[in-house]
Amino acid sequence: MPLPFRVQLIDVGPRDGLQNEKQPVPAAVKIELVHRLQTAGLTEIEVTSFVSPKWVPQMADNAQVMAGIQRQAGVRYSVLTPNLQGFEAALQTQPDEIVVFGAASEAFSRKNINCSIAESIERFAPVVQAALASGIAVRGAMSCTVGCPYEGDVAPERVAYLAGLMKQIGVQRVDVADTIGAGTPLKVQKAMEAALLHFDLDHVCGHFHDTYGQALSNTLAALQLGVWNFQASVAGLGGCPYAKGATGNVSTEDVVYMLHGMGIETGVDLDKLIDAGAYIGDFLGRQPNSNVAKAILNKRLG
Ligand code: HMG
Ligand code: MG
């Protein structure tokens, strides 16, 4: 399979990145981060989630953040919606895409969204229908496609099963997520191939956390299958509150640097992306969790 010549990136920093931050991040900072990402050329941004504020307090300002964004033509703004209640609230804010999120492991499904995989699909089905009827695109995130914090290794058959259910209810594309960042390239390829039994190459997306430092290798392994949609998080922010110990997504800076170095287009201006990462890093009081960002920031100091 030849490598793709272009990759579409979704920056999930404002959502996956910030959801796990203990210190409150004001809506104005989240809005500014989204603005900086779109200025850097990101054309897909996962902005927030319409989940229970008791479960994820950091996302309680979802509507305020969505309302504050000055939208740029050609940019797709997505939000997470676990159920109809979340979808109805999200609808008021006019997202371009909603994301239902399930898991390939039963235990994670229960811990994250308080229901079984089968129940989650029952909850998602009306959300998907309502979104499509409103002209909103629908993505399905699939957590724990290689490993689960509670069940250990996850078999590719579990991924195929979930992908099949997502397809049946009308989900248009899926994220193959390594939630705990424990995956290695061949395992990730198997998980991808399982998703590809139900979705074509244009409709699967890699979402790799970098806990064990494997995410760039896993990205390359997915590219070698022809996958050309990836999620990453500016400054390597984040983690999932229900996947203890898991760190952030692979940093968008590292992915962009690798892809550009391979001659693969992303449409992203790396320097402006570094600025976006530095902005949120300054706010949080720490360096970006990205080797590329650190190297370039050091070089700028001369
Ligand atoms: P539940 O307690 O089973 O829900 O939670 P419920 O329907 O029984 O309702 C209980 C209460 O929650 C009620 O309030 C509802 O109004 C409220 P009360 O009467 O007690 O005051 N509620 C809501 N409030 C706001 N928005 C809503 C909503 N729904 C119910 N949408 C629920 C079920 C799904 C809501 C809960 O488990 C939840 O919010 N979970 C979210 C967990 C989460 O956000 N995890 C992180 C995102 S997933 C992730 O990071 C992984 C990903 O990045 C991919 C990867 O890396 O793997 C995507
Ligand atoms: Mg994630």
Side-chain angles (χ1 to χ4, degrees):
M1 177 64 74
L3 290 172
F5 64 90
R6 186 177 84 81
V7 156
Q8 177 65 38
L9 291 172
I10 305 181
D11 199 294
V12 297
R15 194 283 302 172
D16 201 345
L18 294 179
Q19 72 181 7
N20 211 30
E21 285 300 328
K22 295 287 168 284
Q23 57 174 306
V25 180
V29 172
K30 295 172 181 166
I31 292 164
E32 178 64 19
L33 178 62
V34 171
H35 288 164
R36 285 176 183 247
L37 289 172
Q38 61 193 19
T39 301
L42 268 308
T43 51
E44 292 202 46
I45 304 174
E46 202 172 87
V47 176
T48 186
S49 49
F50 287 83
V51 297
S52 161
K54 287 185 190 142
W55 285 61
V56 185
Q58 186 66 262
M59 296 285 110
D61 58 2
N62 41 31
Q64 201 187 340
V65 173
M66 284 296 280
I69 295 169
Q70 285 175 17
R71 297 194 191 191
Q72 203 170 283
V75 178
R76 178 181 269 201
Y77 304 91
S78 54
V79 301
L80 267 58
T81 55
N83 51 21
L84 267 178
Q85 187 177 339
F87 173 74
E88 274 151 21
L91 187 61
Q92 306 303 313
T93 71
Q94 299 180 304
D96 299 301
E97 181 178 54
I98 57 107
V99 185
V100 291
F101 51 105
S105 103
E106 280 294 344
F108 188 79
S109 180
R110 288 186 186 280
K111 294 276 184 189
N112 195 41
I113 51 174
N114 205 23
C115 63
S116 69
I117 296 171
E119 285 162 346
S120 76
I121 293 295
E122 275 171 36
R123 283 186 196 175
F124 299 156
V127 175
V128 174
Q129 271 176 23
L132 295 176
S134 310
I136 299 171
V138 178
R139 179 151 52 88
M142 305 195 296
S143 287
C144 299
T145 60
V146 282
C148 166
Y150 312 103
E151 291 180 9
D153 282 353
V154 173
E157 291 72 28
R158 305 297 304 160
V159 180
Y161 170 70
L162 178 63
L165 293 175
M166 291 261 187
K167 184 81 190 184
Q168 270 173 28
I169 61 169
V171 167
Q172 294 168 309
R173 57 176 182 158
V174 283
D175 306 335
V176 177
D178 180 9
T179 314
I180 56 171
T184 42
L186 300 184
K187 286 186 186 169
V188 164
Q189 284 186 337
K190 290 210 163 67
M192 277 289 172
E193 283 163 350
L196 286 165
L197 294 174
H198 298 284
F199 290 86
D200 64 35
L201 264 180
D202 297 341
H203 296 95
V204 295
C205 188
H207 175 116
F208 307 131
H209 286 258
D210 200 29
T211 319
Y212 288 80
Q214 305 295 303
L216 273 186
S217 311
N218 293 339
T219 302
L220 180 58
L223 280 169
Q224 286 169 334
L225 294 181
V227 173
W228 60 279
N229 286 276
F230 290 94
Q231 291 161 5
S233 172
V234 64
L237 296 171
C240 173
Y242 298 98
K244 203 166 177 278
T247 61
N249 296 76
V250 64
S251 72
T252 316
E253 295 91 320
D254 287 9
V255 174
V256 167
Y257 179 84
M258 181 181 86
L259 294 172
H260 289 185
M262 294 169 72
I264 299 173
E265 285 171 26
T266 64
V268 175
D269 178 325
L270 182 57
D271 266 316
K272 288 187 181 155
L273 179 63
I274 301 280
D275 295 340
Y279 166 77
I280 193 65
D282 283 348
F283 175 81
L284 296 170
R286 57 176 191 257
Q287 276 206 313
N289 191 11
S290 154
N291 289 325
V292 168
K294 282 183 208 148
I296 292 177
L297 288 169
N298 279 337
K299 209 167 162 187
R300 282 185 188 171
L301 291 174

